[in-house]
Amino acid sequence: MKSNLIDYTLHLADTALILSQRNSEWCGHGPILEQDIAITNISLDLLGQARNFYQYAATLTGGEATEDSLAYLRTEREFKNLLLVEQENGDWGQTILRQYLFSQFQYLMFEKLQQCSDEQLAAIASKSIKETAYHLRWSSEWVCRLGDGTKESHERMLLAIEELWRYTGEMFESAVYETIINVASLKEDWMQRVSAVFSEATLPVPENVFMQTGGKKGIHTELLGFMLTELQYVQRTYPGAEW
Amino acid sequence: MPVQNFEELFQQKIDNEIKIEPKDWMPDAYRKTNIRQISQHAHSEIVGMLPEGNWISRAPSLKRKAILIAKVQDEAGHGLYLYSAAETLGMSRDEMINDLHSGKAKYSSIFNYPSLTWADMGAIGWLVDGAAILNQVMLCRTSYGPYARAMVRICKEESFHQRQGFETLLVLSRGTEEQKAMCQDAINRWWWPSLMMFGPRDSESTNSDQSMKWKIKRKTNDELRQNFIDMIAEQIKVLGMTLPDPALKWNEERKHYDFGEIDWNEFWNVVKGNGPCNKQRINARRKAHEDGQWVREAAMAYAEKKQSKTKAA
Ligand SMILES: [Fe+2]
Ligand SMILES: [Fe+2]
Ligand SMILES: [Fe+2]
């Protein structure tokens, strides 16, 4: 029971951290200065969410666990983030689409989570959902802009969909530890909202796509190992040091 | 009124500490100097994001990562205010960015040095932001209104950056032997380049006199550099580290620290483009701009479509 709660909290933390880490790669390299600031802001919000979840997981775990030991000293087989968020940034379109597909899910998930029986998770969710609402608005506006912008941007969005859609199914498949909310029940609503945004963006909603899963169980794409190598490098090089 | 009188009136305003505003008459050279200086300052904020952005993915704790991301993001914000201030003088942000990418416009040479270890994040905050602050505090009183006001906002954040940088080093200075060595090494590498941030010696500086008369600057390069050395020479004691200058010594008569000779050869070399990272920095900025071309085009096309739809409705 308690181990389910820990694993679930870690899943939430890992997902937020890994997406934050990906988005932060844009910092200093964005297509427009204002948007460089915006994506960095989202990265910072997600990092804040991740820290809240890790701190809670550390309390539940007890002993020597801290937010940093959980983020820096677990391996790629222990990380439980969604596959979607570890996918590479690609071009701006791919980053935008990844953010939108995730934020649309995260928003619905936090709506449920803020009413869940676990007080701490509910509190983090109701604090975070305000940020997520902004991420959702920002990313959906960009999906429209790029989908319905130029011929080139439209084509790039089609490629992004082809690249990322197959990682969306996992969001709605409950992991063994995912007992607090029923993610499968969010699927219909998510699909409706995504369809509405895609239709405004003049983008097709793919059908019958085979879905890749495994992230929640610690079976990742090959990308995660490289990310963790970089993320954890200093902590692992100087074990036990304070920073 | 003949130009002569305009110039006299203009100088009177400056002498009476009245700010010059965008619509006011100003000598061409005053406008040009301000455009050059403000855009160069904006470019420095933006290029300055690169050496620190470099460590975001590897920051050693979640707290440090958050602080670093927020700091680098602040610098982007500074760039934004400064581009806006420069735009009030009649040059567009696009033009300024093109000048940066073509090499016509400069940015602070300090960012052409590599950030090699985590301790560099501390040293940059403490020394580089520290040196920038001295310049920027002075610029809060510069004669061009929009520039002065941008500086007031920026200074608050910069002093925060400096404290964070110092605190990062403080933790290292109290850490393991490896951390202490990392801390000292970063200070050794950033010390001289940060002294060079104040520019050439007053005797070598070309624009100084006129800029002082117009109160664009209010202190000379050498004065600011001395202020900086006096400040850091005291703060380093708290860290228990040393500055890599055997000639550094308190001079009771001058009431200032004496210091050794800067390697001006290195300074001019980096200015001319031969620093360790000049090429990488400009390439990174150009690449971001080129990769973003289709995004900016799409945003523009979409905005136009929206607009014609509203008109039709
Ligand atoms: Fe700055
Ligand atoms: Fe700066
Ligand atoms: Fe700064």
Side-chain angles (χ1 to χ4, degrees):
Chain A
M1 195 58 205
K2 189 177 170 196
S3 87
N4 277 350
L5 181 59
I6 294 174
D7 282 349
Y8 179 55
T9 306
L10 285 172
H11 156 67
L12 296 171
D14 292 343
T15 296
L17 176 65
I18 294 300
L19 187 54
S20 166
Q21 179 86 351
R22 276 297 186 217
N23 284 339
S24 75
E25 292 171 24
W26 278 105
C27 183
H29 306 275
I32 305 164
L33 189 49
E34 286 82 348
Q35 301 310 323
D36 195 307
I37 293 174
I39 190 86
T40 305
N41 213 23
I42 293 175
S43 168
L44 206 49
D45 285 345
L46 289 166
L47 179 55
Q49 294 177 9
R51 293 185 66 190
N52 286 327
F53 288 125
Y54 280 128
Q55 284 162 13
Y56 181 42
T59 317
L60 292 169
T61 307
E64 307 265 279
T66 65
E67 56 168 353
D68 286 331
S69 73
L70 294 173
Y72 286 85
L73 301 175
R74 282 156 61 244
T75 67
E76 51 270 62
R77 289 284 285 105
E78 294 170 290
F79 263 67
K80 293 171 181 52
N81 60 279
L82 295 168
L83 297 178
L84 177 67
V85 300
E86 73 199 39
Q87 299 311 305
E88 283 172 316
N89 285 347
D91 63 15
W92 184 249
Q94 208 163 309
T95 294
I96 288 294
L97 186 68
R98 184 184 62 201
Q99 188 62 49
Y100 169 65
L101 296 172
F102 175 72
S103 292
Q104 186 66 79
F105 165 77
Q106 199 192 35
Y107 186 82
L108 297 172
M109 187 263 289
F110 279 162
E111 269 186 337
K112 286 271 185 304
L113 198 62
Q114 61 183 348
Q115 291 162 10
C116 79
S117 56
D118 188 277
E119 255 174 57
Q120 200 55 40
L121 287 182
I124 299 173
S126 68
K127 183 169 166 249
S128 307
I129 197 168
K130 295 174 197 112
E131 297 164 351
T132 306
Y134 163 75
H135 307 166
L136 179 56
R137 199 179 67 218
W138 179 85
S139 59
S140 61
E141 282 170 7
W142 268 104
V143 169
C144 293
R145 236 174 245 134
L146 299 178
D148 193 19
T150 60
K151 189 163 168 284
E152 180 181 1
S153 71
H154 183 80
E155 273 161 19
R156 284 175 184 263
M157 287 310 276
L158 294 179
L159 277 177
I161 293 172
E162 194 180 311
E163 205 53 52
L164 296 174
W165 192 262
R166 62 201 149 117
Y167 298 111
T168 56
E170 186 187 23
M171 300 190 287
F172 309 102
E173 269 184 30
S174 295
V176 226
Y177 52 76
E178 208 165 8
T179 50
I180 290 204
I181 60 171
N182 177 3
V183 277
S185 73
L186 304 174
K187 190 170 179 180
E188 216 185 292
D189 206 356
W190 181 84
M191 197 53 134
Q192 256 175 28
R193 293 180 195 220
V194 171
S195 301
V197 169
F198 273 27
S199 131
E200 204 192 322
T202 68
L203 293 168
V205 177
E207 278 166 59
N208 301 320
V209 174
F210 182 83
M211 290 296 168
Q212 298 293 335
T213 61
K216 287 179 176 181
K217 283 183 289 193
I219 308 285
H220 291 273
T221 60
E222 290 177 343
L223 299 167
L224 184 70
F226 292 98
M227 286 186 81
L228 294 184
T229 301
E230 205 169 322
L231 190 140
Q232 299 178 338
Y233 147 72
V234 181
Q235 280 274 348
R236 290 194 185 272
T237 308
Y238 306 97
E242 296 278 335
W243 303 93
Chain B
M1 249 191 309
V3 172
Q4 189 67 37
N5 295 352
F6 278 118
E7 279 214 53
E8 269 168 37
L9 271 172
F10 173 82
Q11 190 62 49
Q12 259 172 36
K13 269 199 205 164
I14 301 238
D15 295 340
N16 293 327
E17 302 292 336
I18 297 169
K19 293 274 179 264
I20 306 302
E21 295 301 333
K23 293 208 168 104
D24 295 350
W25 186 91
M26 62 186 86
D28 246 11
Y30 178 84
R31 182 183 301 275
K32 279 198 189 118
T33 305
N34 266 296
I35 290 180
R36 197 191 64 235
Q37 192 176 322
I38 303 170
S39 66
Q40 181 172 327
H41 194 162
H43 299 327
S44 301
E45 300 284 357
I46 301 305
V47 177
M49 295 169 74
L50 299 170
E52 289 181 285
N54 179 24
W55 273 89
I56 290 175
S57 64
R58 292 173 290 171
S61 72
L62 296 180
K63 182 181 134 199
R64 292 288 169 203
K65 191 190 284 287
I67 291 173
L68 184 59
I69 295 176
K71 189 209 166 180
V72 182
Q73 192 197 27
D74 282 349
E75 307 299 3
H78 299 169
L80 207 54
Y81 307 153
L82 287 163
Y83 282 127
S84 304
E87 280 186 316
T88 63
L89 290 160
M91 191 179 202
S92 72
R93 201 205 296 184
D94 273 350
E95 283 175 275
M96 292 184 255
I97 288 174
N98 284 339
D99 284 353
L100 171 68
H101 296 172
S102 74
K104 191 179 161 206
K106 299 278 177 230
Y107 56 89
S108 178
S109 276
I110 191 77
F111 301 118
N112 291 318
Y113 290 86
S115 63
L116 301 177
T117 71
W118 170 251
D120 289 30
M121 297 305 98
I124 291 175
W126 179 45
L127 297 173
V128 176
D129 289 74
I133 289 167
L134 286 177
N135 198 32
Q136 289 170 350
V137 165
M138 166 189 82
L139 289 171
C140 289
R141 294 169 56 233
T142 191
S143 58
Y144 186 56
Y147 193 22
R149 289 189 290 272
M151 276 303 126
V152 173
R153 283 175 80 174
I154 290 174
C155 271
K156 285 188 196 135
E157 291 177 352
E158 295 294 8
S159 56
F160 198 55
H161 297 166
Q162 197 202 11
R163 261 180 292 153
Q164 285 168 338
F166 184 78
E167 201 261 331
T168 299
L169 293 183
L170 193 62
V171 171
L172 297 178
S173 75
R174 293 170 179 176
T176 64
E177 287 311 310
E178 282 161 314
Q179 286 176 304
K180 285 179 193 163
M182 189 190 280
C183 179
Q184 182 63 61
D185 168 64
I187 293 168
N188 291 349
R189 281 182 290 108
W190 288 94
W191 172 245
W192 291 106
S194 61
L195 293 189
M196 296 177 196
M197 283 175 73
F198 298 97
R201 263 189 270 168
D202 293 346
S203 53
E204 313 274 320
S205 181
T206 39
N207 313 312
S208 241
D209 288 351
Q210 185 63 70
S211 286
M212 296 285 277
K213 188 170 169 234
W214 279 336
K215 295 188 181 167
I216 297 175
K217 294 186 67 155
R218 286 165 177 271
K219 283 182 175 185
T220 70
N221 295 355
D222 286 335
E223 282 175 87
L224 288 167
R225 186 164 19 239
Q226 183 71 61
N227 290 162
F228 177 70
I229 291 167
D230 292 346
M231 172 175 84
I232 298 298
E234 288 302 316
Q235 292 176 355
I236 190 119
K237 294 177 186 167
V238 183
L239 291 177
M241 298 279 144
T242 57
L243 292 170
D245 179 0
L248 190 82
K249 210 173 132 234
W250 177 251
N251 182 325
E252 188 53 41
E253 230 166 276
R254 291 202 309 125
K255 300 281 181 213
H256 285 297
Y257 277 88
D258 290 336
F259 56 98
E261 192 58 43
I262 289 169
D263 182 352
W264 293 109
N265 202 22
E266 175 181 324
F267 172 82
W268 290 113
N269 243 318
V270 181
V271 170
K272 282 180 196 133
N274 299 322
C277 298
N278 292 61
K279 211 169 149 36
Q280 290 92 319
R281 301 296 184 233
I282 280 298
N283 285 351
R285 287 312 312 161
R286 278 194 199 130
K287 183 173 188 306
H289 194 71
E290 282 160 18
D291 289 353
Q293 184 67 30
W294 72 272
V295 178
R296 295 189 296 276
E297 280 167 10
M300 201 133 67
Y302 183 77
E304 274 162 22
K305 276 188 209 175
K306 278 270 144 172
Q307 210 173 27
S308 55
K309 262 186 214 158
T310 357
K311 260 186 208 152

